[in-house]
């Protein structure tokens, strides 16, 4: 039996087996590094926990891929900034005091309930804010 194994496992075959084992070990180490770096980028709170889970071969990596946060931390921050910017832009327009519909800054009446939301300049007929004393478009004094 020993002679048969010695004939089958030649130095070339042994070298190929060693290379295969080395590749598997390298892939395993790289998968651990990937999980740690990806968990940090995705903002996973206990990223060290994912590192521990990834130590379990194949099952840990599979568990991480299934349970990891769906988006990167940078993307979530960008979405939050975009939402804040849109809310800020909408706040410049205002809402109707009667029905709560969004109102553009040059609306004189609400398009939903027909409530007057701004005064109109008697000369140039442009919308004015309630606290303006002079029309900024034509310099007409407002009473």
């Amino acid at each position: 039996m020993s002679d048969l194994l010695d004939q089958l496992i030649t130095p070339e075959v042994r070298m190929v087996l060693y290379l295969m084992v080395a590749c598997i070990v390298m892939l395993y180490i790289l998968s651990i590094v990937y999980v740690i770096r990806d968990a940090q980028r995705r903002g996973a709170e206990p990223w060290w926990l994912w590192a521990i889970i990834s130590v379990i071969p194949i099952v840990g990596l599979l568990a991480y891929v299934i349970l990891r946060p769906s988006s990167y931390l940078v993307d979530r921050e960008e979405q939050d900034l975009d939402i804040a910017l849109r809310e800020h832009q909408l706040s410049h327009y205002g809402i109707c005091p009667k029905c709560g519909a969004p109102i553009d800054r040059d609306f004189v009446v609400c398009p939903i309930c027909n409530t007057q939301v701004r005064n109109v300049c008697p000369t140039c007929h442009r919308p004015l804010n309630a606290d303006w004393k002079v029309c900024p478009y034509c310099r007409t004094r407002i009473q």
Side-chain angles (χ1 to χ4, degrees):
M1 186 73 166
S2 173
D3 292 335
L4 182 63
L5 280 176
D6 286 339
Q7 287 177 353
L8 287 176
I9 302 179
T10 61
E12 292 83 16
V13 172
R14 189 172 287 146
M15 180 61 76
V16 169
L17 288 175
Y18 287 153
L19 284 173
M20 286 175 53
V21 169
C23 285
I24 291 171
V25 169
M26 287 300 293
L27 284 174
Y28 175 63
I29 291 171
L30 287 175
S31 72
I32 293 172
V33 171
Y34 166 75
V35 166
I36 291 171
R37 293 191 69 205
D38 192 60
Q40 287 174 338
R41 277 186 298 201
R42 290 181 185 270
E45 291 301 320
W47 62 267
W48 50 269
L49 184 64
W50 290 112
I52 293 171
I53 290 174
S54 69
V55 170
I56 303 168
I58 299 173
V59 176
L61 180 64
L62 231 62
Y64 174 73
V65 169
I66 292 171
L67 300 173
R68 69 184 177 184
S70 61
S71 62
Y72 290 115
L73 184 61
V74 173
D75 293 336
R76 288 194 303 266
E77 289 172 353
E78 185 177 333
Q79 289 171 350
D80 291 342
L81 285 174
D82 187 42
I83 290 170
L85 175 66
R86 289 174 192 249
E87 287 174 352
H88 180 71
Q89 288 172 341
L90 285 175
S91 71
H92 282 304
Y93 298 118
I95 58 171
C96 174
K98 187 173 180 183
C99 69
I103 296 174
D104 212 354
R105 72 179 120 198
D106 60 342
F107 286 0
V108 177
V109 296
C110 174
I112 305 297
C113 65
N114 200 25
T115 303
Q116 184 172 353
V117 291
R118 288 190 180 72
N119 296 328
V120 179
C121 174
T123 307
C124 68
H125 304 290
R126 288 204 158 168
L128 304 172
N129 285 348
D131 56 343
W132 288 352
K133 305 291 185 215
V134 175
C135 176
Y137 306 107
C138 67
R139 293 185 172 185
T140 304
R141 290 221 179 268
I142 309 297
Q143 287 85 354

